[in-house]
Amino acid sequence: MKKIKKTETEWKAQLSDAEYHVLREAGTERAFTGKYYDHEEEGTYLCNACKTPLFDATNKYHSGCGWPSFWGELETAKITQKLDKSHGMTRVELICSCCDSHLGHIFNDGPPPSGVRYCINSVCLEFVSNHGTP
C-alpha cells in the first residue's frame, strides 16, 4: 500500500472544517448525528481523506453507541491501531494506514465473530454503493 503524504495546508484545502477536525486533529463528531449511523445499504466504506476501502457494509451493525459500528475491517493492513490516553481514559485509536487520518476507536464489546466494535466517525467515511451510486 502506497503512503499518502500531504501537508496540513493541503489537507485543509481538501477537507471541510468538520472533516479536518476529526480526520486530522483526532476530533469526534457528536453521537447520533453522522450520516452513516443508521445507513443500511450494500457497499463499501472508504476513508474520506484518501479513498482507501476500509469496511464492507456486511460487517456493519447497530451497536446503539451513536456512531457507525463494524465488527471487522476489509483488510487488517489498512487500519493501524494506536494507544490513546487522551481525555483521561485509555482507548485504542484507529488510524488509516494509508494517510494517517484518525477514524475512531476500537472496543472489546462487539458481536461475534470478532467480539470487537470498530466505532467510526461518519465524517471519516465515504460510502460507495454496490449499485454504483455514492
Side-chain angles (χ1 to χ4, degrees):
M1 174 173 25
K2 187 175 179 180
K3 220 36 173 164
I4 294 174
K5 298 281 187 184
K6 292 186 180 186
T7 66
E8 290 310 305
T9 301
E10 289 172 317
W11 284 120
K12 283 182 181 179
Q14 174 186 325
L15 303 169
S16 71
D17 289 345
E19 291 167 345
Y20 184 85
H21 174 65
V22 177
L23 286 157
R24 305 306 303 168
E25 298 177 324
T28 302
E29 65 192 3
R30 286 192 339 247
F32 304 101
T33 63
K35 66 181 176 179
Y36 296 125
Y37 170 67
D38 256 348
H39 186 251
E40 292 184 28
E41 188 179 347
E42 293 178 7
T44 304
Y45 292 88
L46 316 176
C47 173
N48 196 21
C50 69
K51 311 312 179 210
T52 296
L54 300 173
F55 300 99
D56 188 277
T58 59
N59 294 355
K60 189 173 186 288
Y61 72 101
H62 291 282
S63 69
C65 72
W67 293 273
S69 297
F70 302 86
W71 58 260
E73 55 192 279
L74 279 174
E75 295 177 39
T76 55
K78 293 185 178 179
I79 298 177
T80 302
Q81 296 185 15
K82 174 183 155 191
L83 190 61
D84 175 7
K85 292 189 174 191
S86 65
H87 306 291
M89 58 186 121
T90 301
R91 304 177 287 176
V92 176
E93 180 183 9
L94 299 171
I95 301 166
C96 176
S97 299
C98 190
C99 68
D100 294 327
S101 289
H102 171 79
L103 302 170
H105 293 86
I106 190 169
F107 301 96
N108 291 320
D109 61 1
S114 69
V116 297
R117 171 174 50 99
Y118 290 77
C119 184
I120 309 296
N121 292 282
S122 285
V123 74
C124 298
L125 300 171
E126 179 179 313
F127 181 75
V128 177
S129 170
N130 284 352
H131 306 292
T133 56

